[in-house]
Amino acid sequence: MMKRLAVYCGSASPADPRYLELAREVGAGLAERGIGVVYGGGRLGLMGAVASGALDAGGEVIGIIPEALASSEVANHDCTELHTVSGMHERKQKFTDLSDGFVTIPGGVGTMDELWEAVSWAQLGYHDNPVGLLNAFGFYDHLIAFNAHMASVGFVRPAHQNIIIAEDTLSALLEKMASYQPHTPIFKMKASDL
Ligand code: AMP
């Protein structure tokens, strides 16, 4: 049962308006399905658009922002709850602890850090929640190919290649995530091991 999902996305606003529109639609789509959004707590770029899309549709939005970024990412006090944390690491642990899965939509380096940590922590057994990738506009075609390449060379175990669940639409992605069968992890990491 997915009550809340962590949504990872860019803090930039690309010139192509489809990206911000997509982020708003994802926020609204989750709210309409009764799924709360856990996200980085800022107002900028796609992050802000996800939050406002969800809030405008009556959804729950939990923002988690590190103290040092609160002004540069323009902390979003419209959130249902806004947690200020001491740093990036605590933020990512909270994303994981407060959510029942992850949805990554287009973004940059920070988004990649968050996505791959969710994958890595699934491999290490810190969580057993689904890791979804919304491949809208083919934005992640190369990442999906690279993930397969890492597995074919032998850096990703065959059983772990499918930790990333990729789909082109939110409905298809959520449907697959809801029936996710957890992978067998390498370890069973606890919070104190991170
Ligand atoms: P970006 O995709 O680079 O626009 O970043 C999106 C989100 O990732 C924002 O919430 C950033 O605060 C966060 N972020 C940026 N850089 C890092 C980093 N080095 N480690 C973890 N998160 C980051």
Side-chain angles (χ1 to χ4, degrees):
M1 175 64 186
M2 300 190 297
K3 243 183 103 226
R4 287 182 189 145
L5 292 176
V7 179
Y8 295 154
C9 60
S11 53
S13 296
D16 183 340
R18 291 181 306 170
Y19 289 97
L20 283 171
E21 279 162 25
L22 172 77
R24 271 195 71 81
E25 283 166 17
V26 166
L30 294 174
E32 282 154 14
R33 291 168 175 85
I35 299 173
V37 169
V38 182
Y39 89 114
R43 280 191 198 276
L44 297 178
L46 271 67
M47 291 171 62
V50 166
S52 59
L55 289 166
D56 291 350
E60 176 197 56
V61 176
I62 300 177
I64 303 164
I65 195 155
E67 227 173 324
L69 286 185
S71 58
S72 65
E73 288 192 355
V74 194
N76 187 355
H77 294 283
D78 293 336
C79 290
T80 320
E81 285 174 36
L82 184 65
H83 300 252
T84 306
V85 295
S86 62
M88 287 296 198
H89 182 77
E90 192 184 343
R91 179 198 232 182
K92 286 185 287 184
Q93 192 177 342
K94 254 197 151 61
F95 286 145
T96 308
D97 294 348
L98 293 179
S99 68
D100 306 302
F102 310 84
V103 170
T104 295
I105 69 172
V109 169
T111 305
M112 292 301 90
D113 175 78
E114 292 162 344
L115 166 70
W116 288 111
E117 188 156 86
V119 176
S120 166
W121 286 5
Q123 292 189 155
L124 295 172
Y126 181 66
H127 70 79
D128 57 8
N129 291 328
V131 181
L133 184 68
L134 185 58
N135 187 27
F137 324 125
F139 182 78
Y140 284 120
D141 284 351
H142 293 95
L143 183 147
I144 292 164
F146 182 61
N147 187 50
H149 178 61
M150 284 194 289
S152 72
V153 173
F155 287 115
V156 171
R157 296 177 186 206
H160 291 161
Q161 185 185 336
N162 298 324
I163 287 177
I164 295 181
I165 302 166
E167 283 293 338
D168 301 350
T169 65
L170 183 66
S171 312
L173 184 62
L174 293 176
E175 204 172 302
K176 262 204 175 165
M177 289 173 67
S179 59
Y180 171 71
Q181 295 297 321
H183 290 72
T184 306
I186 300 167
F187 304 114
K188 195 77 195 126
M189 298 257 283
K190 303 182 294 298
S192 56
D193 302 323
L194 292 176

